[in-house]
Amino acid sequence: MVGTVPARVPPVPLSRRPLTLGDDEVRHWYENALGWPTVPGDPLRLAVGVRFDVLDVPAEAGRAALERLGPRPGPGLPGWGFPVAVRGGRMRLLVAAGSAEELPGLLDWLEWGALELDLAAIGAGGSMEAPRWVASGVGEPGACPPSSEAGDPRSVGSGTRSLPLGRDGSQGAAVWLRPPEPGREVEASLPTLSAMGTRCARGDGGGPPDLVRLVSTVATQVHRVRLRRGCAATRAGGQPLAFS
């Protein structure tokens, strides 16, 4: 018919690859790109005490401690930041292997041993949930996944995929706040007991904080969070504050 416009047939949508990576892919990346042993079973967990130990602290105290330890490194710079993960209200700070054994004595030496602090260490024989990477916008510090090159878990197979998790791990999974860097020995970036301090890849004194400074800062912030929450609970209950 003259003047009749044929109906447009809507294009068939292309099949979409799943956004999530399987545990086997992530396990392969951890074991081959980073050389971190994993624990058999599901969910995927990393073996602790081999390449690193873990300090487990309230996320609020951990974030305050990181702010006081110094600014985050700039984009593209080999900064002093050591790997840090978050899960719900907890933060896991990676420290040198063997640090878990040193923690009780270190807290006593820093005069924190008499207080019950919400601060725990995971060492040899322990494990932690394997954190996932999260998609991040340009310029968002601390939430960036590894570069999309060989060894990046998002580039396993064909195409690039990002993990559909919130920046704060809102779905309950552990995620990296400061991810480990592929191709680098993790030990060089971890806080450890050292009388000489630590140095970063730039050759200056901007390496990770030593374990004494880290534990002292974290313990102080854990105690402050506890006091602040106690005061808030007291005010909410209508009780007068008492100071000793």
Side-chain angles (χ1 to χ4, degrees), residues 25-210:
E25 294 174 301
V26 179
R27 187 187 301 275
H28 181 273
W29 193 90
Y30 273 116
E31 292 182 346
N32 290 273
L34 290 181
W36 292 7
T38 61
V39 178
D42 184 33
L44 178 61
R45 300 185 68 84
L46 303 174
V48 177
V50 181
R51 300 290 302 277
F52 57 85
D53 283 359
V54 174
L55 293 184
D56 185 289
V57 304
E60 181 181 354
R63 291 179 186 275
L66 293 179
E67 289 295 330
R68 282 159 177 75
L69 286 169
R72 295 185 180 95
L77 296 179
W80 59 260
F82 51 96
V84 177
V86 291
R87 183 179 188 274
R90 305 298 296 182
M91 178 177 287
R92 279 80 184 259
L93 302 97
L94 270 59
V95 293
S99 298
E101 297 179 2
E102 303 289 346
L103 183 62
L106 188 53
L107 287 173
D108 287 339
W109 185 73
L110 292 169
E111 300 184 350
W112 286 109
L115 296 178
E116 293 185 4
L117 297 175
D118 189 5
L119 168 61
I122 307 172
S127 65
M128 65 175 283
E129 180 181 345
R132 304 299 181 103
W133 280 264
V134 296
S136 172
V138 177
E140 292 182 357
C144 300
S147 59
S148 54
E149 300 172 354
D152 182 345
R154 297 179 306 147
S155 59
V156 177
S158 61
T160 299
R161 292 171 284 170
S162 57
L163 297 171
L165 297 175
R167 289 175 54 197
D168 58 353
S170 57
Q171 292 186 6
V175 295
W176 286 113
L177 180 66
R178 288 178 177 170
E181 297 186 42
R184 292 189 180 177
E185 290 294 326
V186 66
E187 288 84 356
S189 69
L190 300 181
T192 184
L193 285 175
S194 173
M196 302 300 293
T198 50
R199 304 175 72 85
C200 73
R202 294 188 296 274
D204 55 27
D210 61 63

